[in-house]
Amino acid sequence: MSARPMPGPDCSAEEWALRVDLAAAYRLIALHGWDDLIFTHLTARVPGPEHHFLINPYGMGFAEITASSLVKVGLDGQPVGASEYPVNPAGFVIHSAVHAAREDALCVMHTHSLNGVAVSAQKDGVLAISQQSLFVLAALGYHDYEGVALNDAEKPRLVADLGRNTFLMLRNHGLLTVGASVADAFLAMYIFEAACAIQVRALAGARELLPIPAPILAGIQAQAAQVTRGLGGALAWPSLLRRLARESPGYEQ
Protein backbone atom coordinates (compact mmCIF):
# COMPACT_ATOMS: atom_id res chain seq x y z
CA MET A 1 0.00 0.00 0.00
CA SER A 2 1.31 3.48 -0.81
CA ALA A 3 2.40 5.72 2.03
CA ARG A 4 -0.20 8.05 3.48
CA PRO A 5 0.49 11.76 2.88
CA MET A 6 1.18 13.86 5.95
CA PRO A 7 -1.58 16.22 7.17
CA GLY A 8 -1.40 19.87 6.25
CA PRO A 9 -1.06 22.77 8.71
CA ASP A 10 -4.85 23.04 9.22
CA CYS A 11 -5.39 19.32 9.72
CA SER A 12 -4.24 17.34 12.74
CA ALA A 13 -2.79 13.85 12.41
CA GLU A 14 -5.95 12.48 14.05
CA GLU A 15 -8.20 14.24 11.53
CA TRP A 16 -6.07 13.09 8.61
CA ALA A 17 -6.23 9.45 9.74
CA LEU A 18 -10.00 9.79 9.98
CA ARG A 19 -10.15 11.33 6.50
CA VAL A 20 -8.18 8.42 5.05
CA ASP A 21 -10.47 5.85 6.67
CA LEU A 22 -13.65 7.64 5.58
CA ALA A 23 -12.38 8.03 2.02
CA ALA A 24 -11.61 4.30 2.05
CA ALA A 25 -15.18 3.59 3.17
CA TYR A 26 -16.56 5.64 0.27
CA ARG A 27 -14.43 3.65 -2.17
CA LEU A 28 -15.56 0.36 -0.58
CA ILE A 29 -19.22 1.38 -0.84
CA ALA A 30 -18.62 2.02 -4.54
CA LEU A 31 -16.87 -1.33 -5.02
CA HIS A 32 -19.85 -3.11 -3.46
CA GLY A 33 -22.34 -1.22 -5.65
CA TRP A 34 -24.20 0.50 -2.80
CA ASP A 35 -23.38 4.09 -3.79
CA ASP A 36 -26.52 5.15 -5.74
CA LEU A 37 -24.40 7.48 -7.91
CA ILE A 38 -23.80 10.52 -5.66
CA PHE A 39 -26.99 10.46 -3.57
CA THR A 40 -26.02 8.82 -0.28
CA HIS A 41 -23.52 9.79 2.35
CA LEU A 42 -21.10 8.65 5.03
CA THR A 43 -19.83 10.94 7.77
CA ALA A 44 -17.25 10.88 10.54
CA ARG A 45 -16.96 13.25 13.50
CA VAL A 46 -13.63 15.06 13.76
CA PRO A 47 -11.96 14.81 17.19
CA GLY A 48 -12.43 17.95 19.26
CA PRO A 49 -15.14 19.94 21.06
CA GLU A 50 -16.47 21.65 17.92
CA HIS A 51 -18.44 18.59 16.71
CA HIS A 52 -17.31 19.17 13.15
CA PHE A 53 -17.79 16.23 10.84
CA LEU A 54 -16.58 15.10 7.43
CA ILE A 55 -18.97 14.40 4.55
CA ASN A 56 -18.68 13.75 0.82
CA PRO A 57 -18.40 16.64 -1.62
CA TYR A 58 -21.82 16.63 -3.33
CA GLY A 59 -21.35 15.88 -7.01
CA MET A 60 -18.26 13.71 -6.69
CA GLY A 61 -18.68 9.97 -7.27
CA PHE A 62 -17.79 7.68 -4.41
CA ALA A 63 -15.06 6.02 -6.47
CA GLU A 64 -13.43 9.44 -6.90
CA ILE A 65 -13.38 10.54 -3.27
CA THR A 66 -10.06 11.10 -1.56
CA ALA A 67 -9.07 12.03 1.97
CA SER A 68 -8.36 15.63 1.00
CA SER A 69 -11.60 16.10 -0.97
CA LEU A 70 -13.90 15.42 2.00
CA VAL A 71 -15.75 18.51 3.24
CA LYS A 72 -15.63 19.46 6.93
CA VAL A 73 -18.84 21.02 8.21
CA GLY A 74 -20.24 22.19 11.52
CA LEU A 75 -23.55 21.22 13.09
CA ASP A 76 -24.97 24.39 11.50
CA GLY A 77 -24.29 22.92 8.05
CA GLN A 78 -21.67 25.49 7.14
CA PRO A 79 -18.36 24.32 5.67
CA VAL A 80 -15.29 24.73 7.83
CA GLY A 81 -12.63 25.93 5.40
CA ALA A 82 -12.81 26.21 1.63
CA SER A 83 -14.36 23.62 -0.69
CA GLU A 84 -15.36 23.88 -4.32
CA TYR A 85 -18.21 21.43 -3.71
CA PRO A 86 -21.47 21.89 -1.78
CA VAL A 87 -22.91 19.44 0.75
CA ASN A 88 -25.99 17.28 0.17
CA PRO A 89 -28.70 18.98 2.30
CA ALA A 90 -30.45 15.69 3.06
CA GLY A 91 -27.12 14.24 4.12
CA PHE A 92 -26.63 17.13 6.50
CA VAL A 93 -30.06 16.75 8.13
CA ILE A 94 -29.70 13.01 8.76
CA HIS A 95 -26.08 12.96 9.85
CA SER A 96 -26.07 16.13 11.93
CA ALA A 97 -29.03 14.78 13.90
CA VAL A 98 -27.22 11.55 14.75
CA HIS A 99 -23.84 13.15 15.45
CA ALA A 100 -25.45 15.70 17.79
CA ALA A 101 -27.34 13.03 19.73
CA ARG A 102 -24.88 10.13 19.85
CA GLU A 103 -21.41 10.87 21.25
CA ASP A 104 -20.49 7.23 20.63
CA ALA A 105 -21.39 7.45 16.92
CA LEU A 106 -18.10 8.66 15.48
CA CYS A 107 -19.15 7.36 12.05
CA VAL A 108 -22.61 7.32 10.45
CA MET A 109 -23.29 5.53 7.15
CA HIS A 110 -26.44 5.76 5.03
CA THR A 111 -27.08 3.82 1.82
CA HIS A 112 -29.84 3.37 -0.77
CA SER A 113 -28.79 -0.14 -1.74
CA LEU A 114 -31.37 -2.02 -3.80
CA ASN A 115 -31.67 -4.87 -1.29
CA GLY A 116 -31.85 -2.47 1.63
CA VAL A 117 -34.60 -0.37 0.07
CA ALA A 118 -36.49 -3.53 -0.92
CA VAL A 119 -36.58 -4.83 2.64
CA SER A 120 -37.34 -1.35 4.01
CA ALA A 121 -40.56 -1.50 1.95
CA GLN A 122 -41.59 -4.86 3.44
CA LYS A 123 -44.06 -4.48 6.31
CA ASP A 124 -42.37 -7.07 8.54
CA GLY A 125 -38.93 -5.56 8.11
CA VAL A 126 -35.89 -7.75 8.78
CA LEU A 127 -36.81 -11.40 9.29
CA ALA A 128 -34.87 -13.75 11.56
CA ILE A 129 -33.92 -16.14 8.80
CA SER A 130 -30.13 -15.87 8.61
CA GLN A 131 -27.14 -15.51 10.91
CA GLN A 132 -26.58 -12.04 9.46
CA SER A 133 -30.14 -11.01 10.31
CA LEU A 134 -29.61 -11.91 13.97
CA PHE A 135 -26.71 -9.49 14.33
CA VAL A 136 -28.97 -6.77 12.90
CA LEU A 137 -32.05 -7.65 14.94
CA ALA A 138 -30.06 -7.47 18.17
CA ALA A 139 -29.69 -3.68 17.71
CA LEU A 140 -32.25 -2.49 15.15
CA GLY A 141 -34.63 0.47 15.00
CA TYR A 142 -37.14 1.57 12.34
CA HIS A 143 -37.94 5.09 11.15
CA ASP A 144 -41.03 5.81 9.05
CA TYR A 145 -40.61 7.64 5.75
CA GLU A 146 -41.32 11.39 5.88
CA GLY A 147 -40.12 12.35 2.41
CA VAL A 148 -36.67 13.52 1.38
CA ALA A 149 -34.85 14.38 4.61
CA LEU A 150 -34.76 18.17 4.25
CA ASN A 151 -36.77 19.20 7.31
CA ASP A 152 -35.06 19.81 10.65
CA ALA A 153 -38.34 18.89 12.36
CA GLU A 154 -37.69 15.25 11.45
CA LYS A 155 -34.46 15.13 13.46
CA PRO A 156 -35.88 14.32 16.92
CA ARG A 157 -38.04 11.53 15.52
CA LEU A 158 -35.11 10.01 13.62
CA VAL A 159 -32.91 10.17 16.73
CA ALA A 160 -35.63 8.64 18.90
CA ASP A 161 -36.13 5.77 16.45
CA LEU A 162 -32.41 5.08 16.32
CA GLY A 163 -32.15 5.13 20.11
CA ARG A 164 -29.00 3.34 21.27
CA ASN A 165 -29.08 0.95 18.32
CA THR A 166 -26.37 0.27 15.76
CA PHE A 167 -28.77 -0.29 12.85
CA LEU A 168 -31.67 1.87 11.65
CA MET A 169 -33.97 0.90 8.79
CA LEU A 170 -35.34 4.00 7.09
CA ARG A 171 -38.69 2.78 5.81
CA ASN A 172 -39.11 3.02 2.01
CA HIS A 173 -35.69 4.69 1.91
CA GLY A 174 -32.65 2.65 2.91
CA LEU A 175 -30.21 1.64 5.63
CA LEU A 176 -28.26 3.50 8.29
CA THR A 177 -25.52 2.27 10.64
CA VAL A 178 -23.41 3.90 13.32
CA GLY A 179 -20.10 2.91 14.84
CA ALA A 180 -17.36 4.02 17.20
CA SER A 181 -15.03 3.90 14.19
CA VAL A 182 -15.31 3.94 10.41
CA ALA A 183 -14.40 0.25 10.40
CA ASP A 184 -17.20 -0.60 12.85
CA ALA A 185 -19.83 1.33 10.90
CA PHE A 186 -18.73 -0.28 7.64
CA LEU A 187 -18.83 -3.80 9.06
CA ALA A 188 -22.32 -3.07 10.40
CA MET A 189 -23.43 -1.86 6.96
CA TYR A 190 -21.94 -4.94 5.28
CA ILE A 191 -23.90 -7.21 7.63
CA PHE A 192 -27.08 -5.14 7.25
CA GLU A 193 -26.90 -5.27 3.47
CA ALA A 194 -26.10 -9.01 3.53
CA ALA A 195 -29.12 -9.71 5.73
CA CYS A 196 -31.35 -7.78 3.30
CA ALA A 197 -29.89 -9.49 0.22
CA ILE A 198 -30.41 -12.92 1.76
CA GLN A 199 -33.98 -12.03 2.68
CA VAL A 200 -34.84 -10.79 -0.82
CA ARG A 201 -33.45 -13.99 -2.34
CA ALA A 202 -35.14 -16.24 0.21
CA LEU A 203 -38.52 -14.62 -0.39
CA ALA A 204 -38.02 -14.93 -4.13
CA GLY A 205 -37.63 -18.67 -3.72
CA ALA A 206 -41.38 -19.03 -3.10
CA ARG A 207 -40.85 -21.66 -0.40
CA GLU A 208 -41.78 -21.67 3.28
CA LEU A 209 -39.05 -19.95 5.31
CA LEU A 210 -37.44 -21.43 8.41
CA PRO A 211 -37.20 -18.79 11.16
CA ILE A 212 -34.41 -18.93 13.73
CA PRO A 213 -35.71 -19.59 17.27
CA ALA A 214 -35.91 -16.54 19.54
CA PRO A 215 -33.58 -17.89 22.28
CA ILE A 216 -30.69 -17.91 19.81
CA LEU A 217 -31.21 -14.18 19.16
CA ALA A 218 -30.82 -13.44 22.87
CA GLY A 219 -27.19 -14.54 22.90
CA ILE A 220 -26.08 -13.27 19.50
CA GLN A 221 -24.27 -10.10 20.64
CA ALA A 222 -21.93 -12.03 22.91
CA GLN A 223 -21.26 -14.46 20.07
CA ALA A 224 -20.50 -11.56 17.70
CA ALA A 225 -17.89 -10.20 20.10
CA GLN A 226 -16.32 -13.65 20.32
CA VAL A 227 -16.19 -14.10 16.53
CA THR A 228 -14.46 -10.73 16.03
CA ARG A 229 -12.15 -11.34 19.02
CA GLY A 230 -13.51 -8.15 20.55
CA LEU A 231 -12.06 -6.07 17.71
CA GLY A 232 -15.29 -5.37 15.82
CA GLY A 233 -14.69 -3.92 12.37
CA ALA A 234 -10.97 -3.50 13.05
CA LEU A 235 -10.50 -7.23 12.46
CA ALA A 236 -11.51 -7.00 8.78
CA TRP A 237 -10.46 -3.40 8.04
CA PRO A 238 -6.77 -4.04 7.13
CA SER A 239 -7.77 -6.61 4.51
CA LEU A 240 -10.29 -4.17 3.05
CA LEU A 241 -7.60 -1.50 2.75
CA ARG A 242 -5.35 -4.00 0.98
CA ARG A 243 -8.19 -4.64 -1.47
CA LEU A 244 -8.45 -0.92 -2.14
CA ALA A 245 -4.72 -0.71 -2.75
CA ARG A 246 -5.20 -3.27 -5.53
CA GLU A 247 -8.55 -2.17 -6.98
CA SER A 248 -9.06 1.52 -6.13
CA PRO A 249 -5.78 3.20 -5.17
CA GLY A 250 -5.44 6.87 -4.46
CA TYR A 251 -8.13 7.30 -1.77
CA GLU A 252 -5.44 8.25 0.76
CA GLN A 253 -4.43 11.38 -1.21
PDB file of all heavy atoms in Angstrom, residues 48 54 56 69 74 79 88 103 107 111 134 136 185 194 234 239:
ATOM      1  N   GLY A  48     -12.433  16.575  18.777  1.00  0.00           N
ATOM      2  CA  GLY A  48     -12.431  17.948  19.261  1.00  0.00           C
ATOM      3  C   GLY A  48     -13.801  18.383  19.733  1.00  0.00           C
ATOM      4  O   GLY A  48     -14.812  17.730  19.432  1.00  0.00           O
ATOM      5  N   LEU A  54     -16.996  15.209   8.826  1.00  0.00           N
ATOM      6  CA  LEU A  54     -16.585  15.100   7.429  1.00  0.00           C
ATOM      7  C   LEU A  54     -17.685  14.442   6.620  1.00  0.00           C
ATOM      8  O   LEU A  54     -18.308  13.472   7.086  1.00  0.00           O
ATOM      9  CB  LEU A  54     -15.305  14.267   7.315  1.00  0.00           C
ATOM     10  CG  LEU A  54     -14.107  14.750   8.135  1.00  0.00           C
ATOM     11  CD1 LEU A  54     -13.002  13.702   8.118  1.00  0.00           C
ATOM     12  CD2 LEU A  54     -13.597  16.083   7.602  1.00  0.00           C
ATOM     13  N   ASN A  56     -19.116  13.758   2.217  1.00  0.00           N
ATOM     14  CA  ASN A  56     -18.683  13.754   0.819  1.00  0.00           C
ATOM     15  C   ASN A  56     -18.988  15.085   0.126  1.00  0.00           C
ATOM     16  O   ASN A  56     -20.005  15.732   0.399  1.00  0.00           O
ATOM     17  CB  ASN A  56     -19.356  12.617   0.039  1.00  0.00           C
ATOM     18  CG  ASN A  56     -20.862  12.611   0.152  1.00  0.00           C
ATOM     19  OD1 ASN A  56     -21.419  12.672   1.242  1.00  0.00           O
ATOM     20  ND2 ASN A  56     -21.540  12.523  -0.984  1.00  0.00           N
ATOM     21  N   SER A  69     -10.414  15.514  -0.338  1.00  0.00           N
ATOM     22  CA  SER A  69     -11.604  16.097  -0.968  1.00  0.00           C
ATOM     23  C   SER A  69     -12.812  16.134  -0.039  1.00  0.00           C
ATOM     24  O   SER A  69     -13.790  16.821  -0.325  1.00  0.00           O
ATOM     25  CB  SER A  69     -11.974  15.319  -2.240  1.00  0.00           C
ATOM     26  OG  SER A  69     -12.458  14.021  -1.933  1.00  0.00           O
ATOM     27  N   GLY A  74     -19.775  22.099  10.148  1.00  0.00           N
ATOM     28  CA  GLY A  74     -20.236  22.186  11.524  1.00  0.00           C
ATOM     29  C   GLY A  74     -21.669  21.716  11.647  1.00  0.00           C
ATOM     30  O   GLY A  74     -22.336  21.417  10.648  1.00  0.00           O
ATOM     31  N   PRO A  79     -19.693  24.904   5.829  1.00  0.00           N
ATOM     32  CA  PRO A  79     -18.355  24.324   5.666  1.00  0.00           C
ATOM     33  C   PRO A  79     -17.334  25.010   6.566  1.00  0.00           C
ATOM     34  O   PRO A  79     -17.426  26.213   6.833  1.00  0.00           O
ATOM     35  CB  PRO A  79     -18.043  24.585   4.190  1.00  0.00           C
ATOM     36  CG  PRO A  79     -19.375  24.791   3.543  1.00  0.00           C
ATOM     37  CD  PRO A  79     -20.240  25.434   4.584  1.00  0.00           C
ATOM     38  N   ASN A  88     -24.634  17.769   0.361  1.00  0.00           N
ATOM     39  CA  ASN A  88     -25.995  17.275   0.167  1.00  0.00           C
ATOM     40  C   ASN A  88     -26.858  17.702   1.364  1.00  0.00           C
ATOM     41  O   ASN A  88     -26.577  17.302   2.491  1.00  0.00           O
ATOM     42  CB  ASN A  88     -25.960  15.743   0.050  1.00  0.00           C
ATOM     43  CG  ASN A  88     -27.320  15.139  -0.238  1.00  0.00           C
ATOM     44  OD1 ASN A  88     -28.352  15.741   0.026  1.00  0.00           O
ATOM     45  ND2 ASN A  88     -27.317  13.932  -0.761  1.00  0.00           N
ATOM     46  N   GLU A 103     -22.847  10.645  21.090  1.00  0.00           N
ATOM     47  CA  GLU A 103     -21.411  10.874  21.249  1.00  0.00           C
ATOM     48  C   GLU A 103     -20.604   9.653  20.834  1.00  0.00           C
ATOM     49  O   GLU A 103     -19.457   9.769  20.411  1.00  0.00           O
ATOM     50  CB  GLU A 103     -21.097  11.242  22.699  1.00  0.00           C
ATOM     51  CG  GLU A 103     -21.494  12.650  23.085  1.00  0.00           C
ATOM     52  CD  GLU A 103     -20.632  13.713  22.421  1.00  0.00           C
ATOM     53  OE1 GLU A 103     -19.464  13.416  22.098  1.00  0.00           O
ATOM     54  OE2 GLU A 103     -21.125  14.838  22.227  1.00  0.00           O
ATOM     55  N   CYS A 107     -18.883   7.514  13.486  1.00  0.00           N
ATOM     56  CA  CYS A 107     -19.149   7.365  12.054  1.00  0.00           C
ATOM     57  C   CYS A 107     -20.604   6.980  11.840  1.00  0.00           C
ATOM     58  O   CYS A 107     -21.152   6.141  12.570  1.00  0.00           O
ATOM     59  CB  CYS A 107     -18.236   6.301  11.455  1.00  0.00           C
ATOM     60  SG  CYS A 107     -18.408   6.101   9.660  1.00  0.00           S
ATOM     61  N   THR A 111     -27.078   4.307   3.197  1.00  0.00           N
ATOM     62  CA  THR A 111     -27.077   3.822   1.818  1.00  0.00           C
ATOM     63  C   THR A 111     -28.502   3.665   1.293  1.00  0.00           C
ATOM     64  O   THR A 111     -29.453   3.528   2.064  1.00  0.00           O
ATOM     65  CB  THR A 111     -26.356   2.465   1.692  1.00  0.00           C
ATOM     66  OG1 THR A 111     -27.081   1.470   2.440  1.00  0.00           O
ATOM     67  CG2 THR A 111     -24.928   2.541   2.196  1.00  0.00           C
ATOM     68  N   LEU A 134     -29.602 -11.933  12.512  1.00  0.00           N
ATOM     69  CA  LEU A 134     -29.614 -11.911  13.973  1.00  0.00           C
ATOM     70  C   LEU A 134     -28.727 -10.798  14.517  1.00  0.00           C
ATOM     71  O   LEU A 134     -29.074 -10.142  15.503  1.00  0.00           O
ATOM     72  CB  LEU A 134     -29.150 -13.258  14.522  1.00  0.00           C
ATOM     73  CG  LEU A 134     -30.052 -14.462  14.240  1.00  0.00           C
ATOM     74  CD1 LEU A 134     -29.605 -15.651  15.083  1.00  0.00           C
ATOM     75  CD2 LEU A 134     -31.516 -14.152  14.515  1.00  0.00           C
ATOM     76  N   VAL A 136     -28.214  -8.008  13.122  1.00  0.00           N
ATOM     77  CA  VAL A 136     -28.973  -6.775  12.900  1.00  0.00           C
ATOM     78  C   VAL A 136     -30.106  -6.653  13.910  1.00  0.00           C
ATOM     79  O   VAL A 136     -30.284  -5.606  14.550  1.00  0.00           O
ATOM     80  CB  VAL A 136     -29.518  -6.738  11.459  1.00  0.00           C
ATOM     81  CG1 VAL A 136     -30.428  -5.530  11.260  1.00  0.00           C
ATOM     82  CG2 VAL A 136     -28.374  -6.723  10.446  1.00  0.00           C
ATOM     83  N   ALA A 185     -18.623   0.954  11.642  1.00  0.00           N
ATOM     84  CA  ALA A 185     -19.831   1.333  10.904  1.00  0.00           C
ATOM     85  C   ALA A 185     -19.896   0.615   9.562  1.00  0.00           C
ATOM     86  O   ALA A 185     -20.981   0.217   9.107  1.00  0.00           O
ATOM     87  CB  ALA A 185     -19.882   2.849  10.702  1.00  0.00           C
ATOM     88  N   ALA A 194     -26.081  -7.566   3.763  1.00  0.00           N
ATOM     89  CA  ALA A 194     -26.096  -9.010   3.529  1.00  0.00           C
ATOM     90  C   ALA A 194     -27.405  -9.624   4.028  1.00  0.00           C
ATOM     91  O   ALA A 194     -27.995 -10.477   3.356  1.00  0.00           O
ATOM     92  CB  ALA A 194     -24.902  -9.670   4.217  1.00  0.00           C
ATOM     93  N   ALA A 234     -12.422  -3.589  13.194  1.00  0.00           N
ATOM     94  CA  ALA A 234     -10.968  -3.504  13.050  1.00  0.00           C
ATOM     95  C   ALA A 234     -10.355  -4.828  12.627  1.00  0.00           C
ATOM     96  O   ALA A 234      -9.250  -4.844  12.064  1.00  0.00           O
ATOM     97  CB  ALA A 234     -10.335  -3.037  14.362  1.00  0.00           C
ATOM     98  N   SER A 239      -7.628  -5.869   5.767  1.00  0.00           N
ATOM     99  CA  SER A 239      -7.767  -6.607   4.509  1.00  0.00           C
ATOM    100  C   SER A 239      -8.558  -5.805   3.491  1.00  0.00           C
ATOM    101  O   SER A 239      -8.295  -5.868   2.282  1.00  0.00           O
ATOM    102  CB  SER A 239      -8.439  -7.957   4.745  1.00  0.00           C
ATOM    103  OG  SER A 239      -9.806  -7.817   5.088  1.00  0.00           O
TER     104      SER A 239
END
